[in-house]
């Protein structure tokens, strides 16, 4: 059961609230409160226990925090409020005395209430000593209030009782990209790649990450053959996985990991490096890295493969963001989106839309939500396919060598000199006399609002896309002086 207290909105996780009218009714013996991280009250978060079952002040219990902080919740009948105060700073255990003194010991206070049960004001605003509304969440049941008491949210250690959505997955402690302490993930792995690794030094990682916003990558060791002339922990190859500058997994590699996998949880759109440091000139390995459940379905796409022999090896890649996969899956084979083969489609996605790790996930998501996203993709693919001869595509290292300057630095497609638009939709594409020597891509058919297409006086070759026949708005089509073939 969760009751949220906010500055502008109140959300109550109970279907009803029963307010006791006399002493002894429905009194909670323990509850948990979590203050927002942006406040100075975080150290007062935790479980509060009724420590005065035999004697109460003003007929209500006194609740004591179960950490080293001497924070206390108590009721003052005169003021008709519950107070949170620090008994170590004043020596008071009486809420009325703390409220009257109003010094540093007074931390927060509730709205006015006559209820005998503190739960009745969980859904009402709470305020700091300076009368500022507080961001606080109250919990009255579940493991976080039971066996989870005494454990802190957001302390860098992943606690299973707190690793649920209601507690923000232990304040982010259980995932690499959300944990914010220097000892996050340290010494947590004893079993990886289906192997007990505690005897070879264990490892660091985040196997308990349950945050559904994360993407998963999987590493499969297809083959491992190690120099077994020594058996110290210094003689093992070492695996390190880093994404967005944060270490997600480190451990020693042993031969019995052969043909076994390990799953790693990373942020959407992460830029990652998987590196293996060999321990001997005779170490040999082969691995495959997958993007799991790509596009929200149970598909595993191969991101990259690596062969290691007598030298260190690293593989760097960027995950295609989730929203891009959802937008593009009707137009490309997303299972092949990471294939090493260079194609105009993959170059546009990795080099142009995603930017090879140069853009933040916030910027990528914003661009993905552009209502003209598919048209921009289709326009870029059409341009690249036409500009580059098919035999030259594998040798193109960067799309920057293909696009004109106006396309590289300006994502407003309607401002490009060869494009005309109406209400943001592309209506005219003029690439005649443009030195085109490639092919006419089928993606041109995605420009459904196109009324005129001029590709004349170039060196285009290959078939005329059948998709042109489905473009009901097309009025002008100029393809002469090319080597295109086929019906329209």
């Amino acid at each position: 059961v969760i009751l949220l207290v906010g500055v502008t909105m109140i959300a109550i996780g109970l279907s009803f609230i029963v307010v006791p009218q006399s002493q002894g009714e429905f009194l909670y013996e323990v509850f948990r409160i979590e203050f927002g991280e942006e406040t100075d009250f975080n150290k007062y978060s935790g479980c509060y226990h009724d420590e005065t079952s035999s004697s109460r002040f003003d007929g209500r219990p006194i609740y004591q925090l179960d950490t080293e902080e001497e924070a206390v919740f108590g009721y003052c009948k005169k003021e008709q409020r519950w107070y949170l105060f620090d008994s170590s700073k004043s020596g008071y255990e009486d809420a009325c005395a703390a409220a009257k003194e109003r010094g540093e010991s007074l931390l927060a206070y509730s709205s006015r209430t006559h209820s005998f049960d503190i739960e009745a004001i969980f859904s009402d605003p709470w305020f700091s000593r300076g009368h500022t509304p507080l961001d606080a969440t109250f919990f009255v049941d579940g493991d976080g209030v039971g066996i989870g008491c005494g454990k802190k949210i957001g302390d860098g250690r992943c606690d299973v009782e707190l690793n649920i959505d209601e507690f923000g997955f232990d304040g982010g402690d259980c995932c690499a990209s959300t944990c914010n302490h220097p000892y996050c993930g340290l010494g947590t792995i004893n079993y990886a790649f289906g192997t007990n690794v505690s005897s070879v030094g264990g490892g660091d990682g985040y196997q308990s990450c349950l945050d559904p916003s994360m993407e998963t990558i999987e590493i499969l060791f297809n083959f491992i053959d190690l120099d077994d002339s020594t058996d110290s922990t210094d003689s093992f190859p070492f695996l390190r996985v880093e994404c967005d500058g944060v270490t997600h997994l480190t451990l020693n590699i042993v031969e019995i990991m052969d043909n076994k996998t390990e799953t790693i949880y990373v942020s959407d759109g992460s830029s990652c490096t998987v590196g293996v440091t060999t321990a001997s000139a005779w170490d040999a390995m082969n691995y495959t890295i997958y993007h799991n459940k790509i596009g929200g379905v149970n598909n595993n796409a191969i991101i990259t493969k690596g062969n290691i022999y007598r030298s260190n090896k690293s593989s760097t890649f960027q995950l295609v963001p989730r929203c891009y996969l959802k937008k593009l899956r009707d137009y490309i084979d997303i299972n092949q989106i990471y294939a090493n083969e260079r194609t105009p489609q993959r170059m546009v996605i990795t080099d142009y839309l995603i930017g090879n790790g140069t853009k933040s996930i916030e910027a990528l998501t914003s661009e993905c939500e552009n209502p003209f996203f598919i048209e921009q993709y289709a326009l870029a693919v059409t341009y690249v396919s036409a500009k580059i001869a098919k035999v030259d595509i594998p040798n193109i290292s960067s799309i920057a060598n293909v696009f004109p300057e106006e396309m590289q630095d300006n994502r407003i497609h309607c401002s490009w000199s060869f494009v005309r638009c109406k209400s943001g939709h592309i209506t005219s594409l003029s690439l005649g006399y443009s030195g085109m020597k490639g092919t006419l891509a089928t993606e041109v058919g995605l420009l459904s609002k196109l009324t005129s297409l001029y590709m004349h006086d170039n060196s285009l070759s290959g078939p005329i896309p059948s998709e042109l026949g489905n473009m009901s708005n097309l009025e002008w089509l100029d393809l002469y002086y090319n080597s295109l073939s086929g019906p329209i």
Side-chain angles (χ1 to χ4, degrees):
V1 178
I2 309 168
L3 297 95
L4 303 177
V5 179
V7 175
T8 59
M9 181 179 295
I10 300 173
I12 305 177
L14 292 174
S15 58
F16 61 90
I17 296 177
V18 178
V19 181
Q21 301 298 319
S22 62
Q23 182 176 350
E25 291 186 43
F26 306 110
L27 295 174
Y28 282 104
E29 294 184 359
V30 59
F31 64 87
R32 187 182 190 104
I33 184 171
E34 293 296 329
F35 290 102
E37 293 184 0
E38 69 279 3
T39 71
D40 295 329
F41 282 76
N42 194 254
K43 63 182 178 180
Y44 301 115
S45 295
C47 291
Y48 286 78
H49 297 262
D50 178 2
E51 301 293 345
T52 58
S53 57
S54 58
S55 61
R56 304 181 187 278
F57 293 101
D58 285 338
R60 277 81 167 176
I62 291 287
Y63 293 96
Q64 177 75 46
L65 181 61
D66 63 0
T67 70
E68 63 275 7
E69 300 293 336
E70 296 185 35
V72 174
F73 273 99
Y75 182 78
C76 177
K77 186 175 182 179
K78 180 179 179 182
E79 299 290 337
Q80 299 176 1
R81 299 183 191 273
W82 285 87
Y83 288 91
L84 173 64
F85 57 96
D86 187 340
S87 61
S88 68
K89 293 182 179 180
S90 64
Y92 297 127
E93 290 187 358
D94 183 338
C96 289
K100 181 179 180 181
E101 191 262 343
R102 290 196 176 271
E104 291 185 1
S105 64
L106 180 61
L107 302 173
Y109 61 91
S110 74
S111 303
R112 293 186 183 276
T113 178
H114 294 283
S115 171
F116 279 87
D117 193 347
I118 191 174
E119 184 234 357
I121 47 83
F122 284 174
S123 58
D124 293 335
W126 280 75
F127 303 90
S128 69
R129 180 175 62 242
H131 313 298
T132 301
L134 290 175
D135 177 17
T137 307
F138 289 85
F139 304 87
V140 293
D141 62 11
D143 286 346
V145 184
I147 58 177
C149 283
K151 297 180 179 179
K152 294 287 289 183
I153 292 174
D155 63 354
R157 299 178 178 86
C158 181
D159 300 307
V160 63
E161 300 87 359
L162 306 177
N163 189 19
I164 56 177
D165 185 39
E166 288 82 353
F167 294 118
F169 301 99
D170 199 6
D173 287 342
C174 301
C175 301
S177 57
T178 55
C179 192
N180 297 308
H181 288 264
Y183 42 81
C184 291
L186 295 182
T188 59
I189 295 182
N190 294 310
Y191 196 84
F193 289 96
T195 303
N196 188 335
V197 296
S198 58
S199 61
V200 291
D204 304 331
Y206 300 83
Q207 294 173 321
S208 298
C209 180
L210 299 177
D211 188 338
S213 71
M214 299 296 162
E215 291 289 301
T216 56
I217 61 175
E218 188 175 78
I219 302 176
L220 166 66
F221 279 115
N222 305 293
F223 169 78
I224 303 175
D225 185 17
L226 306 182
D227 179 6
D228 57 2
S229 60
T230 61
D231 58 3
S232 70
T233 55
D234 293 333
S235 68
F236 292 104
F238 186 71
L239 172 68
R240 178 185 295 273
V241 179
E242 290 189 359
C243 295
D244 298 329
V246 178
T247 299
H248 284 55
L249 175 67
T250 62
L251 51 78
N252 290 320
I253 301 170
V254 293
E255 283 189 345
I256 56 176
M257 293 178 180
D258 191 348
N259 204 32
K260 296 174 182 177
T261 64
E262 182 68 15
T263 298
I264 303 163
Y265 302 89
V266 304
S267 292
D268 186 27
S270 288
S271 295
C272 300
T273 298
V274 175
V276 175
T277 303
T278 56
S280 167
W282 301 107
D283 290 341
M285 284 161 277
N286 175 278
Y287 61 81
T288 302
I289 304 173
Y290 298 88
H291 186 174
N292 286 355
K293 297 184 178 180
I294 188 168
V297 296
N298 292 323
N299 292 8
N300 297 336
I302 295 176
I303 301 173
T304 189
K305 297 182 179 182
N307 289 296
I308 303 167
Y309 183 62
R310 295 190 175 187
S311 63
N312 300 335
K313 172 73 176 182
S314 64
S315 298
T316 299
F317 54 89
Q318 181 177 12
L319 294 188
V320 177
R322 190 177 299 146
C323 68
Y324 283 62
L325 296 169
K326 290 180 179 179
K327 284 285 186 73
L328 294 169
R329 63 186 174 191
D330 291 334
Y331 311 108
I332 63 172
D333 181 0
I334 61 174
N335 294 314
Q336 299 296 319
I337 199 168
Y338 295 106
N340 290 329
E341 178 187 359
R342 297 285 279 176
T343 67
Q345 292 80 5
R346 294 193 192 101
M347 283 192 286
V348 166
I349 293 169
T350 59
D351 298 354
Y352 180 58
L353 295 179
I354 297 178
N356 275 327
T358 61
K359 301 178 182 179
S360 68
I361 186 59
E362 291 79 16
L364 291 172
T365 301
S366 176
E367 292 177 4
C368 182
E369 293 171 351
N370 183 338
F372 307 107
F373 176 84
I374 293 299
E375 287 188 60
Q376 288 186 338
Y377 164 74
L379 176 59
V381 171
T382 298
Y383 187 94
V384 172
S385 298
K387 188 68 175 177
I388 311 170
K390 194 171 183 178
V391 295
D392 294 332
I393 289 176
N395 302 318
I396 300 297
S397 60
S398 172
I399 209 166
N401 302 324
V402 180
F403 281 165
E405 186 175 348
E406 63 177 327
M407 290 183 70
Q408 295 180 37
D409 303 324
N410 179 9
R411 295 298 295 273
I412 304 175
H413 59 281
C414 292
S415 69
W416 298 340
S417 60
F418 54 91
V419 174
R420 293 292 180 270
C421 294
K422 182 177 181 180
S423 301
H425 293 289
I426 301 168
T427 58
S428 179
L429 183 57
S430 301
L431 289 171
Y433 296 105
S434 299
M436 301 294 173
K437 54 185 178 180
T439 60
L440 190 53
T442 59
E443 280 77 6
V444 70
L446 297 177
L447 303 175
S448 60
K449 303 295 184 180
L450 205 64
T451 60
S452 58
L453 174 62
Y454 302 100
M455 304 290 288
H456 57 85
D457 292 280
N458 285 297
S459 299
L460 298 173
S461 61
I464 297 174
S466 60
E467 285 76 6
L468 287 177
N470 299 324
M471 299 176 71
S472 59
N473 292 308
L474 192 61
E475 299 174 358
W476 294 93
L477 176 62
D478 195 343
L479 302 177
Y480 72 83
Y481 289 115
N482 285 290
S483 298
L484 296 166
S485 61
I488 297 178

